[in-house]
Amino acid sequence: MSSRPALARLDDPASDCGPTDAPAVATTPTMPPADGPPDRSARRWWILVVLAATQLLVVLDGTIVSIALPQAQAELGLSDSQRQWVVTAYALAFGALLLLGGRVADYWGRKRTFLLGMVGFGVASLLAGFARDGVELIAARGLQGAFAALLAPAALALLTVSFPSGRERNTAFAVFGAIAGVGAAVGLVLGGALTELADWRWCLWVNVPVVIVAFVAGKLLVAESRAQGDNRYDVLGTIVVVLGLGALVYGLTLAEHSWTAPGTVACLVGGVALLALFVLVESRVAQPLLPLRIVRDRVRAGAFLLQAIVGALMIGALLYLSFHLQVVMGLSPLRAGLGSVPMTLVILVLAPVVTTVLLPRVGPRPLMIAGPLVAAVGLLLLCRVTVGGSYAAEILPSQLVLGVGLALVLVPLQNVALAGVAPHDAGAASATVNAAMQIGGSIGLSVFTTIYAAALPTAAAPTPADLVDGYSAVFVAAAIAMALGAVLAALLIRGPKEKLLPSGDHQAVHLG
């Protein structure tokens, strides 16, 4: 359902400020200084295997549960709002804590953080699989997201230390990034297979054996490293931004019932106020979670906003395509998972073409305007879905068009977001790109759920025709959001193409 391009360029990673679609997504690439002793033996390739498995785990967990949601909803009696939060809790916790996770990895120790994140992720997956109701499942998914925010930056930091330079570094990052590109598609297919052949709970339990193997291998193979110097955590900033985002997303969820209810208004106003307070806090602390100079740049701010809109599409809107395939068209979970793969394949095929041919020739701006518009066309094609329609006639064309649009926008987006970043801000900027994807997905899914609910009849149980109306309303809203993204790109992404592309030989991987 979501897919991420493999690689984006990044400036010198020698950063003293810690901080991973897609996409897709996912990443805090805290790009740390190579201050630990690099592992020059052959075992670092085994380290790559372990870290790549971790990357796959984090990325596919954003989508693997999506295919299982109809069965989970039926068994646990989830409301539509709770169903949404099973996805939102993971993405919101992951995105909101990503920057902090990178700092913890750099300051506390990258190996130690990796091992802690791995254990926590495994325990959270086990708890989620044993959930007896919606509250337990949502809480465990949020816990998964929190530990993913430790795992992702720690894994990327360890990769950077293990492969400090040269051709081997490029190979390692290419493998790591390719895993990010296919992880979402693997999650959809694996989730469909496990749900159909076993039980939806295995979409969560499948993490546990991977965690055990990765923990043991990480313990034996990986060397410890950490950043040097004055290392202080921005605890106040972290608390404020988590509470602010949580209140905002919860308020949008409550808006499904009423925009004017006191609880809805209080959450929305409180969320905005807390986010404004976060900006004030970040302007005054010595080592901010998010240095404001990163987002003051007009071009970079435009890239972050566009990334959030793409996240809303990939994490939010396309979840409803999965529902349509299973609930209305009656496809099995496995066939529904396979039905979402063509978009990912198109992105994977076109991403190298965009990177090596289009981007150097025309620059990022035309692609970042055209990409969202093409994706909007793909979403409008989805509005033609009917109760008795076929996959080949109604779904496949939109999947192919969406793949083209997302390939055009995602590759240059990563480049533009990291262009002109000072070396000491590289980690934080890269983390912000990926956090924007997850947070945009959380907010987008809440908004789309409200739009979906408003399109359904209030009295009787919805018929398949009513569900199609609700899904179509979501696709129209997502198309409008993508068109808005094209407008933002036209207004904010300005300058010669040489200025809009980062320099340097280092790479960042998009995890999220």
Side-chain angles (χ1 to χ4, degrees), residues 28 34 67 86 119 141 178 189 207 289 338 352 363 373 379 437:
T28 232
I67 293 294
V86 175
V119 171
R141 285 285 288 168
V189 177
N207 295 330
L289 197 64
L338 291 171
L373 292 177
L379 288 162
M437 170 73 81

Side-chain angles (χ1 to χ4, degrees), residues 337-491:
L338 291 171
S340 300
V341 169
M343 182 187 75
T344 302
L345 293 179
V346 171
I347 295 174
L348 291 176
V349 169
L350 289 184
V353 177
V354 174
T355 302
T356 60
V357 179
L358 294 180
L359 193 57
R361 182 171 300 176
V362 304
R365 187 171 185 265
L367 301 178
M368 295 176 71
I369 296 172
L373 292 177
V374 173
V377 172
L379 288 162
L380 291 176
L381 289 176
L382 278 178
C383 297
R384 303 177 303 117
V385 295
T386 59
V387 174
S390 70
Y391 174 87
E394 295 185 351
I395 307 299
L396 183 58
S398 68
Q399 286 266 299
L400 299 177
V401 175
L402 274 169
V404 173
L406 290 172
L408 289 176
V409 68
L410 280 171
V411 173
L413 192 154
Q414 300 292 315
N415 284 271
V416 169
L418 299 171
V421 177
H424 58 277
D425 286 335
S430 192
T432 304
V433 177
N434 297 283
M437 170 73 81
Q438 300 295 330
I439 293 168
S442 302
I443 294 174
L445 182 51
S446 298
V447 172
F448 294 144
T449 299
T450 299
I451 292 171
Y452 164 77
L456 296 180
T458 56
T463 65
D466 295 328
L467 294 176
V468 167
D469 289 342
Y471 302 153
S472 296
V474 170
F475 300 144
V476 170
I480 293 172
M482 292 305 293
L484 176 61
V487 173
L488 287 173
L491 294 175

Side-chain angles (χ1 to χ4, degrees), residues 238-320:
T238 301
I239 293 173
V240 171
V241 75
V242 169
L243 291 178
L245 290 170
L248 182 62
V249 172
Y250 186 62
L252 292 170
T253 303
L254 294 178
E256 173 185 336
H257 306 290
S258 172
W259 282 95
T260 58
T264 303
V265 174
C267 285
L268 292 176
V269 172
V272 172
L274 284 168
L275 292 177
L277 178 60
F278 172 70
V279 174
L280 179 62
V281 170
E282 297 306 277
S283 68
R284 298 191 175 188
V285 297
Q287 293 186 338
L289 197 64
L290 175 61
L292 295 182
R293 57 184 171 271
I294 293 175
V295 296
R296 287 196 185 106
D297 179 83
R298 183 189 66 183
V299 172
R300 199 172 301 119
F304 293 154
L305 289 172
L306 186 54
Q307 181 80 319
I309 292 173
V310 172
L313 163 64
M314 297 171 71
I315 297 174
L318 293 184
L319 179 64
Y320 284 91

Side-chain angles (χ1 to χ4, degrees), residues 20-53:
T20 152
D21 218 285
V25 44
T27 293
T28 232
T30 293
M31 301 300 289
D35 50 6
D39 191 335
R40 300 187 183 281
S41 68
R43 73 173 185 173
R44 61 180 162 183
W45 295 108
W46 288 107
I47 293 175
L48 174 61
V49 172
V50 174
L51 299 179

